Amino acid sequence: MKTFSASHKTVFVVDHCPYMAESCRQQVEYDMLTKTRAQGIIPLAPVSKSLWTCAVECSMEYCRILFDIYPFKKLVNYIVSDSEFHFLNTWSQEDQNVQELMSALAAVGPPNPREDPECCSILHGLVAAVESLCKITEYQHEARTTLMDNAEHVTNKGRIICITNAKSDTHVRMLEDCVQETIQEHNKLAAGSDRLMQIQQCELVLIHTYPLGDDTLVSDRPRKEISPVLTSEVHSVRAGRHLAGKLNILVQQHFDLASTTITNIPMKEEQHANTSANYDVELLHHKDAHLEFIRSGELHPPGSASRDSSLKETVTLKWCTPRTNSVELHFCTGAFRISPVDVNSRPSSCLTNFLLNGRSVLLEQPRKSGSKVISHMLSSHGGEIFLHVLSSTRSTLEDPPSISEGCGGRVTDYRITDFGEFMRENRLTPFPEPKQIDAPARAPLERAKDQLERHTRYWPMIISQTTIFNMQAVVPLASLIVKESLTEEDVLTCQKTIYNLVDMERKNDPLPISTVGTRGKGPKRDEQYRIMWNELETLVRAHINSTERHQRVLDCIVACRSKPPEEEERKKRGRKREEKEDKSEKNGKDVEPDKTWQESERLKGVLECEKEELAEAEIIKDSPDSPEPLNKKPRLAIEETPPVEKAKGPVSLLAMWTSRINTANSRKHQEFVGRLNSVNNKAELYQHLKEENGFVSWSIT
């Protein structure tokens, strides 16, 4: 089917009745343009436009933007309605320009305020608009000729924009009913004619405009479906700049346009030729020029603003130094025609002339920090200005990106080999046309989709995210569980695989657990098997709804995971032993250096104290009042110290030094007789008094 959207045909119906000659009450100061004024001359009073003038100017601006951006295949038919309707142009491509319409409007002239209002009606124009939509355009005729016998597949849709001054909401409903009835009548006529086409969809946009200061009598209403063929929406807008803003928004909505504001454009001042100031120019273009912003999630990057926040938003791009060499090529992903919003302003005129002289301007995204990003370029081709979209990402002309640069970041452990095997198992092949007798219950394509769905219910993409798919012992179960149905032999194979895993756990065999991104030795052996059993159960549970035999495989896994009490006790003892070994190893590596340093410092203090005591002893000995010291054995040399008996296990430096000091000190004096004759450090005192005073024992330490 050759589809023509509602934007292919647009019919403007502008009210030319006497009440449209009323002033819009928006004053225009035109005497302010006079640079010099003689003294004593009173300035001229401001003027105001009529409702008709405002409607014509705004509709012409709508058409100008449309013709600038879509010079072909977007057609406008302009109708003026008073006591009768007046066609100002046709659907012909030659009539699609602003000059043609302005000449026709000049011939029509302004509304006559003295004309009888009862003889004038907007209904004449609406009926003519429906009749115009039934006519075939050149593009529709070409499509119908190409399709020949299937000419009825060419669609016919259109849009009617009516600018009038309605009386009330009831008057608006009457206009909608009139359009609905007219469409039904003309569709009947078009059904029996080769020169007309039935209207399949019509969008009616009613714009009620009224002077400033008056209260509106018509309520706004969003789009509403009147019938399967007709939709209607109502806009109540004050005349003047408000009406111009409304039509500017509508042209963007109707033709998928977007707004871009070029900022920091340097221009010389008219009054001061040696100075320049920065200006902004707003451009309209197709919304696909912002597609890169939409994909990156930055539809409104830093600096985006709205010239009128109540009307529309615009993307702001910053002016760069213009390129003098237009031969320079850029990697461009799209080019879209542009149209200035304020075409008559001095900044817009200067920018247009600058670009039409063969210059190109690069545009960058305003950023608060970081390097600038050139995203667009303005340049002219054949007398038309285009906004070029420059690629700010990897070029398709470069080498394809590495798999490690995908959406998951720099991931390098994808299951590439397993994915190749997965593709081989699920490739599509031609299937012969089955006979009606033995035709399968489901089409081969549906069966292939079901198989692909089963294979992808649980399929980790990264090696470090799976354990069972890295084990050769699980391969038989993983390849069988994804089948649509299992045989008894398949169930036995799956159970045998589960029993092998139980045997591996009993032997405490290591598992291929990935330690990527983890510190230390990774999870303990029991934790590894718990992860493996959880993943295996997740895989099987994803397929238990297939058949009853799949459920039996899951029951086997659940039964094997529930261990007897003695097995749990054995696991607990094994865990305690592993924790004890880890703790001793950790203490030996981490804590021992700290303790050694602390003990060495303490021993250094002990030695200093001993030296001080020896010095004091020498002083006391030399004094005349000091008693005779006890006879002590001479201090032995360090070399005569017997070697310390090697203890079981590691011996710390403190233990070695303490043993050496104790051995040396024990040779400096005679041992106490009581301690020598004591039993378990208990010596009997007053042995001669045992018979009379009883037995007394003291503990000597």
Side-chain angles (χ1 to χ4, degrees), residues 533-544:
W533 285 114
N534 287 341
E535 186 179 6
L536 186 64
E537 185 175 342
T538 301
L539 172 64
V540 177
R541 282 188 182 277
H543 300 274
I544 59 174

Side-chain angles (χ1 to χ4, degrees), residues 37-250:
R37 180 182 295 113
Q39 294 182 356
I41 298 179
I42 300 175
L44 299 176
V47 297
S48 62
K49 302 176 184 178
S50 64
L51 296 178
W52 162 258
T53 303
C54 293
V56 168
E57 288 182 351
C58 297
S59 60
M60 283 296 100
E61 191 66 12
Y62 184 105
C63 296
R64 180 193 65 80
I65 295 173
L66 175 60
F67 295 152
D68 284 349
I69 300 177
Y70 295 101
F72 306 104
K73 295 188 178 180
K74 305 295 183 184
L75 309 178
V76 174
N77 193 6
Y78 207 99
I79 300 175
V80 173
S81 177
D82 42 32
S83 58
E84 57 182 356
F85 60 85
H86 307 276
F87 283 105
L88 302 189
N89 67 338
T90 64
W91 293 124
S92 176
Q93 187 64 54
E94 290 78 11
D95 293 343
Q96 303 301 310
N97 57 80
V98 176
Q99 291 78 13
E100 186 76 20
L101 293 177
M102 293 296 286
S103 300
L105 285 169
V108 172
N112 185 6
R114 291 182 293 273
E115 191 174 357
D116 187 6
E118 299 296 331
C119 300
C120 301
S121 176
I122 192 65
L123 294 176
H124 303 300
L126 292 175
V127 173
V130 174
E131 179 183 350
S132 178
L133 289 179
C134 292
K135 296 179 181 178
I136 302 175
T137 65
E138 298 174 357
Y139 301 103
Q140 290 176 325
H141 177 71
E142 182 181 355
R144 284 161 59 97
T145 305
T146 304
L147 294 176
M148 297 298 289
D149 296 336
N150 297 324
E152 65 275 3
H153 291 172
V154 179
T155 60
N156 183 34
K157 302 177 182 179
R159 180 182 294 112
I160 301 175
I161 302 177
C162 177
I163 303 178
T164 184
N165 182 266
K167 305 297 186 295
S168 61
D169 291 336
T170 305
H171 185 202
V172 171
R173 286 193 294 271
M174 184 267 294
L175 298 178
E176 293 173 345
D177 295 340
C178 174
V179 174
Q180 171 65 17
E181 295 174 1
T182 307
I183 291 176
Q184 294 176 355
E185 295 176 0
H186 281 77
N187 278 348
K188 293 179 182 178
L189 296 175
S193 173
D194 294 335
R195 298 184 178 181
L196 300 176
M197 294 182 66
Q198 291 183 332
I199 300 174
Q200 297 169 345
Q201 182 183 354
C202 177
E203 298 179 8
L204 177 61
V205 181
L206 289 172
I207 301 176
H208 165 68
T209 181
Y210 57 96
L212 273 69
D214 287 1
D215 295 332
T216 179
L217 303 176
V218 177
S219 306
D220 282 349
R221 194 190 64 203
R223 181 174 298 183
K224 173 185 176 182
E225 183 176 345
I226 306 299
S227 70
V229 180
L230 178 65
T231 60
S232 173
E233 57 184 284
V234 181
H235 302 276
S236 182
V237 190
R238 293 192 295 271
R241 62 183 182 89
H242 303 282
L243 181 60
K246 173 59 70 174
L247 281 173
N248 190 287
I249 294 175
L250 290 178

